[in-house]
Structure formats: structure tokens, C-alpha cells
Amino acid sequence: MDAKMLTASEHTHSPMLPGTELKMSHIEIANVAGKRSDNVKRTIERLAKEGAIASPHIEERPKQGVSGQFVEHLLLDRLDSITAMASIDGNYCADLVLRWDNLESGKATPRVHLKAVQTEEPELSTPQAMLEKNMATSLRAMAFVEALGFTGNQKLLSADRLLKSQIGFSPLEAMGQKQLVAPVQAMTFTPTQLGQMMEPPQDPRQVNKLLEAAGLQIKIDSLWVPTDQGQPLCEILDTGKAHNSGTPVKQVKWYQAVLERLQPTLPEESKTESIDQDSRYADSEPEIVGSDTDEKPIQRKQKRKRNRYELDDYFSLVELGEFIGRSRQHVVEVLEKHRIIKWTGQGKRGKYLLTDKGWQYGLMYDPSEICFHNRNSKRLTTSNAQPVLGYDILKFF
């Protein structure tokens, strides 16, 4: 038997042999994505013309179910097929990777030939030839991550990490660039952090209202969204998580320069709405009780929703549980397991505090004083301060 050609049936139940290279037809890629093969073929030809992938090998194969007719197959290797799938429909990249894993392990039958890889590679015997090959591979990796939606420095870093993990070559390291210069040389801050920079310090809710009053953001479906005026002054970060409704969780952070656009105070009614504890937690207007003969009706305060602080940038333990659809007890168990919070005190008379590790993910918030305590505060254990955690904590769940 010719060692340089194995048919699909001869490879059905054995893993990929050493010295062989598996190719995948554009028709099989179309089957995985549920697309028309002619549309997939045109996409592959376009990507090859643009240099995003290597020119595919073309093979004439008999048309299934029709005697005497042949169909042109474009054959791609693993990386090129995944790059093509990212352009065709990125939702099916994981399915294609699984298909490749099954083919290479022998769990599935390939639908095209396996062709032997040449053992001699004289063209790679010189540093220049190796560099040219790595540069070509780097451009393909860039096209791949761009097709997945990465842009700017994130695209460069993602492609660099992909190449480093798969072939051991890092373009940035080869060029002596271990880090990239950020397009904007400034740190970004949450409304909570901006409020702490202001004099006097402002509640994060009030900061959001100041941003709104300055025309820098608007509220849409309970979410703050930067306006056209506000976009140059902020960054929108994708947390990689989603709300219960399926909406992606995004976090807006502002450059410190935005403070110059904010008025130091709000109109009195807005300030009262932001700071007054009763109005913050009331679902409706306070209930008025008393007889018709009472000279002054007595206002009964609505019950406060305990442990729900409604901060824009942080979750209380209860709010975190509601956000992920689990109980507070489950949240506590996970955070204790990862040493984010710890119990201090005895029995029910104690409270949870952030650990040294926990301060990387949150702050201690006192709802009665409407202020945050830093880790060196002497009142952490004596005040009503409770742990509140930012969006980064979601990675533990």
C-alpha cells in the first residue's frame, strides 16, 4: 500500500499517524456550520486572496451519488479551517474544533485523504526561511482573532498569545516588545472611584446623575450608556458575563479628565433622592396613616430592603446571589472557599470581612453612613460596613 495516501476507511478507528497531515474539505466545513457549500467556498477563496489563510489544496473527488461526475474540494489544515469558520459563522468555531479533535484522535472518520508530510524541509534550514514562515503564520493568526471580533491592542496581544501557546513563537518577544503602549495614556475609574476623588466625596449614584446632567451618559433599561459626547472620555469593558435576561454585562469606566466636566453639586431634590436612605429603598411613596381628625398625618417608613445597596459598580452578597440566580449561602460558601471573605467574631455577633485577597475584588461599604472604608480603617469591625464586590468576582461563579 502506498504509504503516502490513506483513505478514509483505512483510518476509521485509529488515531492520526505520525508524519501525516489531515486536511478538511470546504464541504465538511459547510456541513458543520449548516451553510451552503458554494458560499463557504467563496469565503475561503476570498480569505486566501486576502492572505488571511494559505491557498487551499484543490482536489477533484467523485460527486456523491452521481456516477462519472466530480466535485472540486478545497482542502484546508486545522488552523486555516478554523480561521475560515470564524469568518463564515463564529458560533460554530467550537463545533469545528471538536470535529478536529475527534478526527485527530481517531474517534471520527475523515472525509478526505491524509497526505504524508515531507520529512525533509530544506526551505526551513535557514533563519530567514523560518522567519518568513513565522511571519506568514502570524498574519494568519491576526486575521483569525480579528474575525472573532478583537481589535486594537487586544487583537495584537491575543494573536501573540495564540502563537506562543501553539507554535512557541511570540512576534512581540521577537521584536523586543513585551508590552504595548495603550492608545490613551490614562487610567480609567468607576463612578464609585470618581466619587472618592471629588471634594467633598460623592455617592456613586450622585456621580452617575452628574454624568447624566453633563450630557455624558443616559439611562436605557436601567443601564447607563455613554452618549456621543461621553464616549471619548470612557471605556466600555466586556466582563464576559451575562444578566439573567441574556444581556451581556458591560462595565463603563471613565478617565479622570471627566471630573472637569462635572458640576460639584446637583439640584437639591436630586441630591436628596440620591442620599436619603428611606427614598433609596422605598418602592413607592411613604404610606400615610391616621384618622381624619389628626392634625398632622403620621408617615410610616417603608421597610428597608436589607443588604441591597444598589451600587452601580458593586454587588452585596445578597445582590450577587440574585444576579447569578443562587442563594446568599451559596455565594458565601464559594467566596470562603476562594478566601475572598472571612468571618470575624463569635456566633451570630460577628460579620464578614474581606481577606487580603478579597480587597483585590471589592471594598467594605457602610450603608448607614453611605461611605466606603479602606482596608486600614480602624472601624471595619465596629461599623456597619459589609463586603461589596465588583464584576471581576463573577469569574469564581
Side-chain angles (χ1 to χ4, degrees), residues 300-315:
R300 177 181 297 167
K301 293 182 179 179
Q302 293 288 332
K303 290 184 178 180
R304 178 183 299 174
K305 295 179 180 179
R306 295 187 59 192
N307 302 317
R308 291 170 177 83
Y309 311 138
E310 300 180 8
L311 301 173
D312 291 296
D313 309 309
Y314 295 94
F315 300 103

Side-chain angles (χ1 to χ4, degrees), residues 83-94:
T83 303
M85 181 64 84
S87 292
I88 297 164
D89 192 334
N91 293 324
Y92 290 93
C93 284

Side-chain angles (χ1 to χ4, degrees), residues 16-245:
M16 184 173 168
L17 301 176
T20 61
E21 181 181 10
L22 183 60
K23 298 284 188 179
M24 182 175 289
S25 166
H26 77 279
I27 295 179
E28 184 165 1
I29 296 173
N31 290 336
V32 173
K35 307 292 183 182
R36 288 173 54 95
S37 60
D38 54 344
N39 292 336
V40 172
K41 183 180 179 182
R42 283 193 291 270
T43 299
I44 291 174
E45 290 172 341
R46 175 179 59 79
L47 292 173
K49 185 177 180 179
E50 294 173 353
I53 62 174
S55 297
H57 176 72
I58 301 175
E59 180 178 323
E60 295 284 343
R61 297 184 57 78
K63 187 174 182 179
Q64 187 174 4
V66 181
S67 177
Q69 294 188 21
F70 293 82
V71 176
E72 187 179 75
H73 286 244
L74 304 185
L75 306 182
L76 289 77
D77 61 19
R78 180 180 180 122
L79 179 58
D80 281 345
S81 68
I82 296 174
T83 303
M85 181 64 84
S87 292
I88 297 164
D89 192 334
N91 293 324
Y92 290 93
C93 284
D95 296 320
L96 191 69
V97 170
L98 179 61
R99 173 67 179 164
W100 271 106
D101 290 341
N102 289 337
L103 290 173
E104 293 174 342
S105 65
K107 294 180 181 179
T109 303
R111 298 179 184 178
V112 297
H113 292 162
L114 287 168
K115 296 190 175 181
V117 176
Q118 297 293 330
T119 56
E120 297 182 2
E121 296 185 350
E123 70 277 5
L124 299 180
S125 59
T126 65
Q128 180 179 353
M130 180 61 73
L131 176 61
E132 290 178 355
K133 179 180 179 181
N134 287 337
M135 289 172 64
T137 305
S138 299
L139 293 176
R140 291 161 62 191
M142 289 278 289
F144 172 64
V145 298
E146 184 176 11
L148 294 178
F150 294 95
T151 59
N153 284 353
Q154 192 177 22
K155 179 178 72 173
L156 299 176
L157 293 171
S158 298
D160 188 77
R161 285 193 291 267
L162 174 64
L163 293 164
K164 182 69 173 181
S165 64
Q166 297 301 314
I167 66 174
F169 173 71
S170 167
L172 293 179
E173 289 182 7
M175 294 184 292
Q177 302 293 329
K178 295 185 178 180
Q179 58 187 7
L180 296 175
V181 177
V184 178
Q185 289 297 297
M187 294 182 63
T188 54
F189 303 92
T190 65
T192 299
Q193 293 168 325
L194 290 177
Q196 294 172 335
M197 298 177 187
M198 299 176 75
E199 186 61 41
Q202 303 292 324
D203 180 88
R205 286 192 162 204
Q206 189 172 355
V207 173
N208 274 318
K209 287 188 174 293
L210 290 171
L211 291 167
E212 181 183 28
L216 302 180
Q217 67 177 13
I218 58 175
K219 202 165 193 177
I220 301 177
D221 295 333
S222 76
L223 299 176
W224 289 110
V225 179
T227 62
D228 292 340
Q229 298 181 48
Q231 286 182 0
L233 296 170
C234 70
E235 290 184 7
I236 303 176
L237 307 177
D238 192 341
T239 66
K241 301 292 180 179
H243 296 284
N244 290 335
S245 62

